[in-house]
Amino acid sequence: MSPLRSGAFRFSLLMATVFAIGTIALLIVVDRTVYRYATEVADDTVAAEVAILVDEDRDAGRTEAIESVVRRENAVREHDLRYGMIDRSGHLLAGSLPASTAATGWHQIFVKNSNPDRAGTVEAVQLRALGVKLPDGAILVVASDNSDLDELRQRLRGSSVLFGVGIILLALVGGFAIGTVFLRRLGRVNQSVEHIMQGNWTERLPAIGMSLEFDHLSANLNRMLERIEALLEGMRQISTDIAHDLRTPLTRLRHRLETLKDNPDEATETQIDAAIAQTDEILGVFRTLLRISSLEAGSARSRVVEANLSDCLLHLVDIYRPVTDDARHILVSAIEPGIHGRADPEMLVQALTNLIENAIFHTPAGCQIAVTLQRRDDGIVLSVADNGPGIPEAAREHVLKRFYRLDDSRGAPGSGLGLALVAAVASVHGATLRLTDNYPGLRVEFRLPHGENGRAQPYP
């Protein structure tokens, strides 16, 4: 694209046009103001001169008045004021104005003057004159020469036009330069977009660098691309995980059904119940996967409200105490009262349930499971800790992935989705999820931002 067709150049052209219109308007206002002021001053001067000469003619007589006209004619700067006293017969008595200018009131007259810039040449000059009739019928005329004012207006117009044209040219040159730079940088952005459209999701848009607004837009688009890349990677991973981890239970189910078909007489209610249970297990895995995908898509964020976390955890501990007793585990709790935070109580209970059940299933009988809720300076901390065998530090990050299971747990019931669901719930809440050593055992920490006490939704 040519820089002349770029948005930056068009914007500069628009601004230059606006500036030109503004310059013309300013020129007109200044010209009118200067002309009006100078005309008023000249008219006042002419009227004052006429009044003085009329008084002298009346008080001192015609001879003194004629001498006064001569003195004033010689005293004033050339072309500033011109005088003329014409008797009732049309003869010029004094002054430099011709007798033909004799008229009363304000009027325009034209006289011939030598041009000081070009020797030997004569030019016609327009004067604004005021004439009054004296008691004996003579006419006194005083005129003001506005040629200096006209010259000033001409120079002002010329300077304004040159200044405006110069500014417009600078604006056009600047717009062309900015448009060239903008198109060059926009070309790099378009190149990155082409790479992304071709499937390179690791490509990121470069900063345009023209203004903070454009850079902020690029940063937001890059964050959106990172989110899309993560979702695509999640979908790819889900497809791979489903294909890999569900193949075994589906194969077992098919083998069980083939056995029942080949030996219908041996089909017992126990075998049919086992097949149904295996089918339910597979359906449960799909439900959990859909739940995790929904949380990771962020659709559940609207359900996060101000909640009473203390009541929520106390209710959960009361429910699970008989379960842990049956499993011969010891469930203890340390829950501070009156702690509120922004959370979806249902999702939070689901995550904590997964943590407690994990502790029950993966620790030997007699182990202690501790549920705590504390308010700290940097947030609200919910934790579930046990004193079982724990998880090796190198595997703690991997157990948050779908279908990941430790080697020691592969033979135990479960799908490997429990901690992945906990991680998805933490993401929806904007919480920090940490798996640490409990010396001995595992401590899972769920750190939420502070809530606003007093506006919590009651826990059902």
Side-chain angles (χ1 to χ4, degrees):
M1 178 185 294
S2 170
L4 296 177
R5 299 177 60 187
S6 67
F9 181 78
R10 293 181 181 181
F11 180 75
S12 300
L13 185 61
L14 174 64
M15 294 305 297
T17 304
V18 172
F19 185 81
I21 295 174
T23 302
I24 293 173
L26 178 63
L27 171 64
I28 294 174
V29 172
V30 171
D31 181 72
R32 295 286 178 86
T33 303
V34 170
Y35 176 76
R36 188 181 301 112
Y37 175 76
T39 302
E40 290 176 356
V41 171
D43 287 353
D44 291 343
T45 302
V46 170
E49 287 292 306
V50 169
I52 292 172
L53 291 173
V54 169
D55 290 344
E56 287 184 358
D57 182 74
R58 183 184 63 243
D59 299 337
R62 178 59 47 87
T63 303
E64 287 295 329
I66 291 174
E67 291 178 354
S68 180
V69 168
V70 174
R71 285 197 303 273
R72 292 172 184 276
E73 187 78 42
N74 295 330
V76 297
R77 191 171 66 84
E78 185 179 10
H79 304 314
D80 273 355
L81 289 176
R82 305 284 292 273
Y83 299 85
M85 183 174 287
I86 302 97
D87 63 13
R88 59 187 306 172
S89 301
H91 297 97
L92 181 64
L93 300 176
S96 59
L97 293 176
S100 59
T101 61
T104 59
W106 288 102
H107 56 283
Q108 302 289 335
I109 61 176
F110 291 89
V111 297
K112 294 182 180 179
N113 273 344
S114 59
N115 190 336
D117 297 329
R118 290 183 295 178
T121 61
V122 176
E123 61 181 5
V125 178
Q126 183 179 11
L127 305 178
R128 180 170 168 80
L130 174 62
V132 296
K133 182 176 287 186
L134 299 176
D136 61 349
I139 295 177
L140 173 64
V141 179
V142 178
S144 174
D145 186 354
N146 294 329
S147 59
D148 290 345
L149 175 61
D150 294 337
E151 183 178 356
L152 173 63
R153 295 175 66 189
Q154 290 293 337
R155 290 183 178 180
L156 180 62
R157 292 171 184 171
S159 299
S160 299
V161 170
L162 290 177
F163 179 75
V165 171
I167 292 297
I168 291 172
L169 290 177
L170 286 176
L172 294 178
V173 172
F176 182 81
I178 293 173
T180 303
V181 174
F182 181 73
L183 286 180
R184 187 178 299 128
R185 298 186 180 184
L186 196 61
R188 294 200 294 268
V189 175
N190 283 326
Q191 188 176 14
S192 297
V193 172
E194 288 288 341
H195 291 164
I196 294 170
M197 293 172 62
Q198 293 170 3
N200 183 8
W201 289 100
T202 59
E203 180 79 19
R204 293 294 177 266
L205 303 180
I208 297 178
M210 298 294 291
S211 67
L212 291 177
E213 293 82 0
F214 285 119
D215 292 344
H216 186 63
L217 176 62
S218 297
N220 282 338
L221 290 174
N222 284 334
R223 280 196 287 273
M224 182 182 70
L225 290 172
E226 290 173 0
R227 180 65 176 162
I228 293 175
E229 182 186 9
L231 291 175
L232 291 176
E233 176 60 23
M235 292 176 61
R236 187 193 65 78
Q237 187 64 39
I238 287 174
S239 301
T240 303
D241 292 342
I242 289 175
H244 182 269
D245 288 81
L246 292 185
R247 183 175 56 190
T248 299
L250 287 173
T251 302
R252 290 175 182 169
L253 178 60
R254 186 176 188 281
H255 178 70
R256 188 183 300 275
L257 294 176
E258 285 178 346
T259 301
L260 292 174
K261 179 182 177 182
D262 295 339
N263 303 286
D265 296 338
E266 297 180 2
T268 64
E269 184 176 351
T270 303
Q271 290 174 319
I272 295 175
D273 290 342
I276 293 175
Q278 210 156 15
T279 305
D280 290 341
E281 180 184 348
I282 295 171
L283 292 175
V285 170
F286 276 111
R287 281 195 297 269
T288 306
L289 284 173
L290 291 174
R291 179 71 167 161
I292 293 173
S293 298
S294 174
L295 293 175
E296 290 179 341
S299 58
R301 287 194 175 89
S302 60
R303 295 165 52 188
V304 176
V305 297
E306 194 73 12
N308 189 324
L309 302 180
S310 299
D311 289 351
C312 182
L313 263 69
L314 285 171
H315 185 71
L316 179 65
V317 169
D318 288 342
I319 291 176
Y320 263 88
R321 197 175 300 281
V323 179
T324 53
D325 289 343
D326 291 343
R328 291 182 297 169
H329 284 70
I330 303 169
L331 179 62
V332 298
S333 62
I335 300 172
E336 293 184 15
I339 295 182
H340 300 74
R342 291 191 59 77
D344 177 354
E346 182 183 345
M347 281 194 295
L348 195 61
V349 167
Q350 178 64 64
L352 294 174
T353 297
N354 284 8
L355 295 177
I356 293 174
E357 289 183 350
N358 272 353
I360 293 174
F361 292 141
H362 299 292
T363 59
C367 285
Q368 176 179 285
I369 302 172
V371 178
T372 61
L373 174 64
Q374 297 173 309
R375 180 188 289 109
R376 296 181 182 174
D377 293 339
D378 56 347
I380 300 170
V381 177
L382 299 81
S383 68
V384 176
D386 62 68
N387 56 357
I391 296 177
E393 183 175 357
R396 289 172 192 164
E397 181 180 352
H398 298 295
V399 296
L400 299 178
K401 300 177 182 176
R402 298 179 183 87
F403 298 113
Y404 185 88
R405 306 187 71 182
L406 296 175
D407 292 337
D408 296 340
S409 304
R410 292 194 182 279
S415 60
L417 294 173
L419 289 177
L421 180 62
V422 172
V425 171
S427 175
V428 169
H429 287 79
T432 303
L433 182 65
R434 293 181 59 205
L435 277 63
T436 58
D437 202 326
N438 197 40
Y439 303 106
L442 177 68
R443 174 183 172 84
V444 181
E445 192 175 278
F446 205 91
R447 189 179 298 264
L448 286 168
H450 284 294
E452 300 177 18
N453 288 345
R455 294 197 306 169
Q457 298 290 327
Y459 184 73

